[in-house]
Structure formats: C-alpha cells, structure tokens
Amino acid sequence: MQPLNFVFSADSHIVEPPEMWQQRVEPAFRDRAPKTVRDINGEKGEFYVFDTLKPIRVTRFFGAGHLHDREKWQQFEPHGFEKAPASIYDPAARLKEQDLDGVDGELLFPTMGMVMLAAKDDALKAACFRAVNAHLADYCSHAPNRLVGVGVVGINDVPTAIRDLQSAAKMGLRGVLITGAPGEGGYGAPVYDPFWAAAQDMDIPLTVHDLQVRGQVAFTMSGHMGFFSLPMEVQAGLADMILGGIFDRFPKLKIISAENDIGWLPHFVHRLEHACTKIGAAARPVKRLPSEVVRENIWASTQFEGSTIMEFVSKAVGADRIMWGSDYPHPDSTYPDSRKYIREIAGPLDPSDAAKIFGGNVAGIYGVDVDALIRDKKQRAA
C-alpha cells in the first residue's frame, strides 16, 4: 500500500497545566478547583486531587509511549509535571511533535477536564469545564487547522449545558465531550431533548470518551475490571440514546465514541436490531432501526485494533463510521511510532477505506481543510 498522504488523529489530548485552574476558574469556585500535591499516602509523585475523585498521578496524563516499556514506565511514573513534554505548555512544540510522529493534525480532548466528569458537584464541574474550554480554545488558536479542540460540558443541568455549549462554539471549539453515564432516567429521558436540539441546530458533534465507569475514574479501580468496563458504559449510553428515540427526534445529531474500540460495533447493532424487531415488548418503539442510526449518526475511534477488525467493522457498519487516534500524550499512545502502527494496520485495507479511517472521516466531521494541511506540509518539507 502507498503511504497515506494525510493522517489526522481522531483521539488526542491536551493536559491542563496545574496553574491553569487558579488563573481561569471563576473566583467563587477557585478554592475547590483541581490542584496537584506531592507524595500521598506514602506514594511518591505528583497527584491531581479534585472533589470526590481519588488522587490521580499526573504522569498518567503525559507519559506518551512509556506504558509499552515496563522498566521505563516504572522509572517515569513517580515523577510529576517536571517531566511533562514542552507541548503541555506550548502549542508550537505540539506541532513539532506531530511532525515527528507523522501526524498532520489532531482532534484534542481535555484530560483532567474529561476525568472530572465522574465527580459529583455539578456546579463546581461546570465552572471547571468553562475554564478548561477557554484554555483549550486559546491553545488551539495557535494553529486551528492542525489543533482542533473538543471541549467538555456537564449535562445534568440542561439550561447551563446549553449555555456552555454555545459558549464553547463561540470560542472556536468544534465539539464537546459529555458523560457516558448520565443521571436518573438515562439519555432517553425527555429532559435532555433541549440539549440534543441545541447540538443538532449548531451542528456540534458530541463525544462520549472512555475513563468513566459507574461514577468513578476507571484507572483508579482495583484490578483490571476498570479497563474492561470502559466500553460498557458507552455502549449502555448509546443503546439508551437509540432505543430512547433520540435520533428519531433529532435525525442530524452527531455522536462519537472515542477510545472505546470498534470491534464491538457490529454485535452491538445486531443485538439492538434483534431487540427492536424480535423482542418488541422489551424495546422502546423507534422509527429508525439501530443499523440506520449507526450508519448515519454515530462514529467510533480506535487505537490499536488491527486490519482484520477494521475490515470486519468496515463491511458491517461502513468505513466512514470508524476512525483512528494516537491518544497522544497519554501513556498508551502510539507516539512517536504512529506511522509504524498505521502501516501495519492499514496495509491490508482498501486504500479508500484507509484514507477515511486514518484522517478523512475526522476531517469531514470537524471541518478540517485537508488541502491546506497538505500544502502546508509540502512547504515545510521544501
């Protein structure tokens, strides 16, 4: 297969610098904003602490690629922001890292802003989300066609969520994260309809990302169950959206599942379709079948799943439904070897499908000017 001339990560992140919270969070909430502390309960390192969340090592936010080398990770993990890459603070450094990794641009989600979705205090979270969104918008303004920001909005207070959605869009952010596990009634509840309507009218894609499992951050759970549970809450949320008729009422709503893998999608569609067509009494009535909704309203991103899974999912739900992301700068990232992974994964794929999966789909959803990026890349190489 010829090398792809355009690669755009559908799942990357900023990491919020610790001083950002005191600079940007509204004064009424500033004393309860996230902060970092050193050495907790005999464990060495720097930890983020916030509200009801368990302390989280900050190196779990930016140890790009280290997790694949156990010895390197054990040496790296006890450190703090002094080991953070320059790109945590400097978007110009981020562009250099994209060039090193062979990536033309990235869809950037928050990190701590994403994790804090699992906290309890809605008003506090909303204030912190607004700070994250402002910081992310400023960061991406350095190169808005290569750094595409996705903010975060708390959804339990719907009027506030709509105002914050509108504010994020005015800042230049092109999508927002929402929790994968809403409150009582689930996402099928009519109370959320004004938010879906606003997102549809503004053409703002909504993302459900991993890391939230039953109100707690997955990697703070003991054993491996946190990791295995990651896609489950997202699948339950998507099922609730589909069977709750959200896409009947809002047929142009865009929902993205990020970093939850893609191999489950065909079976997910099969199971929901079976419920709608064979077990009618157990399913809520919907006008559009789940297969139609997935092919028109839902996308999903993956990181390491190989060409066999990608071929299978492409045939089952369409290559235009799936995307690849590097997860930079998180420890499980493919950086700095993303091009190597892409060559291995994309080799057996149909070239047109590979072009969609590794950049075309995310560019289309978020309005990336691909021609301009390719021209700029050629100029940098000249």
Side-chain angles (χ1 to χ4, degrees), residues 21 25 45-46 50 52 62 70 79 87 94 107 129 164 175 199 202 216 266 301 314 321:
W21 306 100
V25 171
E46 187 173 7
F50 176 68
T52 55
F62 51 74
R70 181 177 294 273
H79 291 281
S87 63
R94 183 61 171 256
L107 193 66
F129 293 156
D164 289 345
M202 298 168 63
Q216 187 51 270
S301 70
S314 295
R321 298 294 99 189

Side-chain angles (χ1 to χ4, degrees), residues 325-345:
S326 73
D327 198 32
Y328 183 83
H330 292 174
D332 203 27
S333 173
T334 54
Y335 175 91
D337 299 314
S338 292
R339 280 286 181 167
K340 173 187 173 184
Y341 284 102
I342 290 170
R343 284 194 300 270
E344 293 174 355
I345 296 171

